Amino acid sequence: MTFSAVQSEIRPVQWNGHACVLIDQTVLPGIYRTIEIRTSDQMATAIRTMIVRGAPAIGVAAAFGMVLGWQEAPQDDPITHLERVAATLRATRPTAVNLFWAIDRMLTVARREPSFARLEREATAILEGDIATCRAIGEHGLLALPAAPERLRLLTHCNAGALATAGYGTALGVVRSAHREGRLERVYADETRPRLQGARLTAWELVHERIPVTVLADTMAAHVIGRGLVDAVVVGADRIAANGDTANKIGTCGVAIIAKHYGVPFFVAAPWSTVDGNLPSGDQIPIEQRDSEEMRAIEGVALCPQDVEFYNPAFDVTPAPLITGIIVESGVYAPGELAAAGQAQLGR
């Protein structure tokens, strides 16, 4: 494919005044297409089937799902209808806390100022705020990276880029900032089975921006890190507990263990909206179980015998002691500093 139809800046969620336009991430990298989402049920399906994915992007999409829900609501009782829409959207992806944060924010606004225009403004503010947040994460992350060597080799897992946010990305926001400042030699992108978000999406983003990227099979991380080819690991997050335990795409914990063993710094990049201060530790983070078909076959080609059993958790939890620093829009914190920093953030 060519990138002629792709915007210079990747924007996976956009609003055109009456519908939400999503990049269909299920068909990348071979096909670039957008889909107009015109109803709240369509938005729920898009989130559930991963047409839109990544915790921040899911939150933004859900916010516009609430706007669409208001458009559908009966005039005599729009709030009751919107609460039903909120319940439907909440049920789509249980691990990504940004989903719940955005829905709750939209419901609060709807109860206080019940109008389409007000909800549209709030969803747009969530979208624009996420882009600004990602750029701030990129800048703080750039300062947190090792001082040497001058040009760094960074490894990432899954896709925490522009496609996973409203734009720019969290982990890939750090990558983009490092590339801009001439501090990046190469990105190693884990393929990230079973949905291959690293091979399909992270590689697509980086090739689009001409950032050097090498795709690795997930089983290669220990070899590459052990040979000294990686200077730091930067990943995203779907939910971070108060103690710093972090849920991210399945396989992240294994990379963190490898990085710890070889003395390579391991960073998590995510907005404050991904931090769930109500959960004391990662033991309480709900882990989504995905359909076994994702593991059984790729594009209809069977990989395993028909009658084999599967276990397909979408996420794992990386314990806080394995994490060097958590990069948010206000700075970089050791996991043990996160709770106090979060309280200070709420008090601003």
Side-chain angles (χ1 to χ4, degrees):
M1 67 169 292
T2 68
F3 292 108
S4 58
V6 184
Q7 295 175 333
S8 58
E9 290 194 26
I10 298 165
R11 295 285 185 263
V13 183
Q14 297 187 86
W15 178 251
N16 64 14
H18 58 84
C20 192
V21 181
L22 304 178
I23 295 175
D24 184 355
Q25 298 188 37
T26 65
V27 296
L28 288 172
I31 299 170
Y32 176 86
R33 72 182 179 203
T34 59
I35 298 176
E36 275 203 0
I37 303 298
R38 296 178 177 273
T39 71
S40 60
D41 282 343
Q42 288 176 355
M43 183 62 80
T45 298
I47 294 171
R48 187 180 304 109
T49 60
M50 298 176 67
I51 288 171
V52 59
R53 33 70 51 203
I58 288 171
V60 174
F64 285 109
M66 296 290 281
V67 176
L68 294 169
W70 187 272
Q71 285 183 325
E72 303 156 0
Q75 292 185 356
D76 59 340
D77 191 8
I79 297 299
T80 298
H81 176 79
L82 202 62
E83 288 171 343
R84 287 196 292 266
V85 169
T88 299
L89 291 168
R90 285 191 184 104
T92 56
R93 302 291 306 275
T95 303
V97 72
N98 307 64
L99 172 72
F100 304 92
W101 168 83
I103 291 168
D104 290 344
R105 178 167 160 178
M106 294 295 289
L107 274 176
T108 297
V109 169
R111 290 170 179 142
R112 188 175 63 238
E113 301 178 59
S115 74
F116 170 82
R118 183 64 186 87
L119 285 174
E120 184 182 46
R121 287 200 306 274
E122 192 67 17
T124 301
I126 290 173
L127 183 152
E128 292 175 350
D130 186 67
I131 295 172
T133 289
C134 287
R135 292 188 181 278
I137 288 170
E139 297 310 299
H140 289 299
L142 172 63
L143 296 176
L145 292 173
E150 178 62 26
R151 290 170 59 81
L152 297 166
R153 299 156 301 174
L154 304 179
L155 185 143
T156 192
H157 188 78
C158 194
N159 172 260
L163 289 169
T165 64
Y168 202 69
T170 53
L172 291 194
V174 178
V175 165
R176 286 182 166 93
S177 293
H179 178 66
R180 183 198 69 219
E181 295 300 317
R183 293 222 55 214
L184 183 72
E185 178 178 311
R186 175 164 302 278
V187 175
Y188 288 101
D190 285 346
E191 63 175 353
T192 318
R193 284 278 292 145
R195 298 280 301 213
L196 299 173
Q197 293 98 323
R200 294 191 305 106
L201 306 179
T202 293
W204 180 82
E205 283 195 37
L206 297 179
V207 169
H208 175 44
E209 298 189 22
R210 294 179 172 82
I211 296 174
V213 57
T214 298
V215 173
L216 305 176
D218 290 349
T219 49
M220 296 176 185
H223 174 76
V224 172
I225 293 173
R227 287 177 63 88
L229 301 178
V230 174
D231 301 302
V233 177
V234 188
V235 301
D238 283 74
R239 190 180 300 216
I240 302 172
N243 71 338
D245 290 349
T246 295
N248 192 49
K249 185 54 57 185
I250 192 73
T252 302
C253 183
V255 176
I257 292 169
I258 293 164
K260 185 75 169 181
H261 176 78
Y262 286 109
V264 173
F266 182 95
F267 295 98
V268 172
W272 274 115
S273 58
T274 302
V275 179
D276 189 346
N278 295 318
L279 298 186
S281 75
D283 293 339
Q284 291 81 41
I285 296 176
I287 301 298
E288 176 185 3
Q289 297 292 323
R290 301 284 300 178
D291 193 293
S292 62
E293 187 63 20
E294 294 180 348
M295 296 183 64
R296 193 193 73 80
I298 294 179
E299 295 186 353
V301 178
L303 303 178
C304 308
Q306 182 64 39
D307 295 330
V308 75
E309 296 181 1
F310 294 92
Y311 177 55
N312 189 20
F315 305 96
D316 58 24
V317 176
T318 299
L322 299 177
I323 299 171
T324 305
I326 297 174
I327 308 164
V328 293
E329 59 265 39
S330 59
V332 183
Y333 303 95
E337 302 170 336
L338 195 65
Q343 288 299 316
Q345 184 76 9
L346 289 172
R348 290 177 61 184

